Amino acid sequence: MAGEFSAMISAKTSQVDRKIFSDEEIFREEQRRIFAKAWIFVGHESQIPNAGDYFLSRMGIDPVILVRDKSGSIGVFHNSCRHRGMRVCRYDAGNTRLFTCSYHGWSFGIDGKLVGVPGMKEGYCNKLDKSEWGLIPVAKIANYKGAIWATWDADAVSLEEYLGDMRYMLDLALDSHDGTEGGSEVSIGVQKWTIPSNWKLSAENFIGDLYHNISHRSVDMVGIGPEGTSQRRDEGFINNATLVSVGFHERGHGGINVYLPPEYVDARPYPGEIGEWFRAADKARKDRLGENACILGGVGTVFPNMSFRANQPRQIIVWNPVSATETEVWSWYLFDAKSPDSVKAFMREYALRYCGPAGMTERDDMENWQGATEGSVGGVVESFPYNYAYNLADDEQPFEALPNLPYAKNAVIGATEGNARGFYRQWSIWMDATNWDEIRREQMKIKGRI
Amino acid sequence: MASPVEGASSVEAQEMRLHFEVSQFLYKEMDLVDRRSLGEWLDLLTDDIRYFVPLMLNVPFRKWDEETSRPQTDTAWMDEGKKTLEQRVKQLMTGVHWAEEPVSRICHLVSNVLVKSASAGTDVGSEAEVTSRFLIYRNRVRNEASIIVGWRDDLLRKTEEGWKLAKRTAYINQSTLLDKNITTFF
Ligand code: FES
Ligand SMILES: [Fe+2]
């Protein structure tokens, strides 16, 4: 499809027009064409365990309420009153039986239904059909191993189909450390902060930018790994690992895997009881998964704006678009629900020194994304696109150590900008399409690596 | 002890002395941070310090006590001991910490110093609970400017080497941080 937006991504998709990172009209189109149609991560089920529990979230620029109703099922509603738009929920999280609007007093049940209208008799002669004026619900909700997703588009494919084999990458973050399915929970509290940068630059970075080590030179010099030494990550990773880029270009997702030779899988050099816990869990994972236990997760991005880190630090991070040049980042931290408090404390402390606006690694990323956004503004630079040619598809080295990995054909060794090329190719498909049928048709034309 | 202030009782004089020592300590501490004498600043922290910068949530009036995240339990901006603080200082000194290259112009204003344990005394081993407010101005590169304002609850301990900071909770008065990152101390 040779649409207006495909033209911004060059034929071989190794060049990308700068204005997609700075143009406000393109940004507004993204809200309609991507964020109103895609599956968006809205929160984790462990945030709302009981009936009436709610959590305020976002889908793109839209504020939404994630709430558990009396039957235990989860609803997602636009956080605005149907009467005149006032937000009906004013708090970040809590428990309630009703959402009562503070403007004229309409009230809504935790199932979204309009239940109370002041002046129903005097003002509406009892003719207002309350069933027509409930909170605006999303079209579909899905729970994948505790991670809750929603979409505004009833025509969207199922979340399972949307993720495709990317789910194996998500599993590395959402499954328990010992390899049992699911079992993760989030630490209470979500870090939220603002960056003067375009949301796509962050999504692109987390889809697997193994080329940006210089960004983190200072923290690598200091050494903040979980065991307190050695650059910024796990010692075992640095010395014995092969980093693998995994791209699912048909759907625009991707991430990094860390391959450890079997003898290192259950040999983490963490101290004391924490080390014992990890080594026992790693051993159990090895017994359960066999050679595939040699794969640990790294970063990943699910198109369009949900990213994560599996293993350590273990994080879900969402790039909420605010404008072409501003992003509000939300960051959750994950643990195994059944791990002891000491292990949670160990993981939390490492995550906080690595991640977030005060994180010694991520605070340098923010500086670079801001600068990249500033470099995308202005008339002169529009004819000078960005270069995404690092390891073109033909030059990528297939990763063949684990032929039984379900996504083995999607895996290549080391740094490549292939995942970013896949991401922007996907972006152009969505931007030029008007409905889900067109998106699917174009996605299916993508075969193999980009 | 002879009263340093005419007409003050010895109890009052002791409280004044405590207040004087504590507030001078707090000013000196942030003076060192602003001047990037960060090694000297670290020397003012006890080895067992807990340094906590909680998240703040939007909560109902009746749940105001749940406004901040809990130490060593919930997510925070910072929640750490001396080792991590030393690592942060080391990073700031590398010269390749891009978030601080070129270095920011940072100014800490400390005010509303209130010694809560007025009778703590000033002898070695004394501990004083102190609350204060901060305003941190950061300006960098061409036009980046941010202001962070908040509260602090501190525990100070008098040692052979003078007062030291044993515990700090710094509450940033923002629920969504209206800045891209945090590269200073509170
Ligand atoms: S805006 Fe909600 S009742 Fe009027
Ligand atoms: Fe990075």
Side-chain angles (χ1 to χ4, degrees), chain A residues 91-92 187-194 214-215 218 222-223 228 348 352 357-358 360 363-364 366-367 370, chain B residues 57-58 60 70 72-77 87-88 91 94 97-99 140 144 176-182:
Chain A
Y91 312 113
D92 294 337
S187 171
I188 293 173
V190 182
Q191 290 178 332
K192 304 173 184 177
W193 73 101
T194 52
I214 186 175
S215 294
S218 64
V222 173
R348 182 187 303 106
L352 294 183
M360 293 169 66
R363 62 190 183 185
D364 282 326
M366 265 78 82
E367 177 78 3
Q370 174 182 3
Chain B
L57 308 174
N58 293 298
R70 296 164 297 177
Q72 292 180 276
T73 306
D74 301 337
T75 300
W77 299 122
Q87 289 171 330
R88 290 181 186 280
Q91 185 183 29
T94 58
H97 182 19
W98 312 121
R140 58 189 313 274
E144 287 179 41
T176 297
L177 186 75
L178 302 176
D179 207 351
K180 63 178 167 178
N181 56 21
I182 294 170

Side-chain angles (χ1 to χ4, degrees), chain A residues 205 212 215-216 232 309 361 365 369:
Chain A
N205 179 281
H212 83 293
S215 294
H216 302 302
R232 65 187 191 271
R309 293 174 190 281
T361 302
D365 287 315
W369 299 332

Side-chain angles (χ1 to χ4, degrees), chain B residues 21-178:
Chain B
E21 289 189 13
V22 159
S23 50
Q24 286 299 301
F25 173 84
L26 295 177
Y27 301 152
K28 175 177 159 196
E29 199 206 333
M30 286 302 121
D31 189 56
L32 291 171
V33 169
D34 286 344
R35 293 176 191 279
R36 293 193 180 246
S37 301
L38 296 170
E40 281 178 64
W41 175 71
L42 284 172
D43 291 340
L44 298 183
L45 315 180
T46 63
D47 290 338
D48 63 348
I49 186 172
R50 279 308 300 182
Y51 192 92
F52 178 46
V53 187
L55 303 181
M56 293 190 99
L57 308 174
N58 293 298
V59 293
F61 177 75
R62 284 187 180 76
K63 298 233 164 131
W64 202 40
D65 56 339
E66 294 175 18
E67 190 186 21
T68 60
S69 60
R70 296 164 297 177
Q72 292 180 276
T73 306
D74 301 337
T75 300
W77 299 122
M78 296 162 78
D79 190 356
E80 58 206 41
K82 192 158 187 180
K83 183 169 180 187
T84 302
L85 292 166
E86 285 168 350
Q87 289 171 330
R88 290 181 186 280
V89 166
K90 229 168 142 184
Q91 185 183 29
L92 287 162
M93 297 303 191
T94 58
V96 287
H97 182 19
W98 312 121
E100 278 296 317
E101 286 295 321
V103 288
S104 303
R105 289 163 283 275
I106 298 177
C107 190
H108 288 74
L109 306 186
V110 176
S111 81
N112 306 31
V113 176
L114 186 65
V115 181
K116 292 185 130 177
S117 36
S119 57
T122 54
D123 298 337
V124 170
S126 301
E127 290 197 331
E129 283 180 41
V130 183
T131 186
S132 58
R133 302 289 186 276
F134 61 84
L135 184 153
I136 305 169
Y137 175 74
R138 174 170 72 161
N139 172 280
R140 58 189 313 274
V141 198
R142 186 179 63 84
N143 61 350
E144 287 179 41
S146 69
I147 290 177
I148 290 181
V149 182
W151 305 43
R152 298 191 307 191
D153 287 333
D154 293 338
L155 180 70
L156 270 48
R157 190 181 302 146
K158 188 74 171 276
T159 71
E160 301 285 355
E161 296 150 40
W163 286 103
K164 292 207 175 189
L165 183 65
K167 193 173 160 197
R168 167 158 292 161
T169 304
Y171 306 89
I172 297 174
N173 278 179
Q174 295 178 0
S175 62
T176 297
L177 186 75
L178 302 176

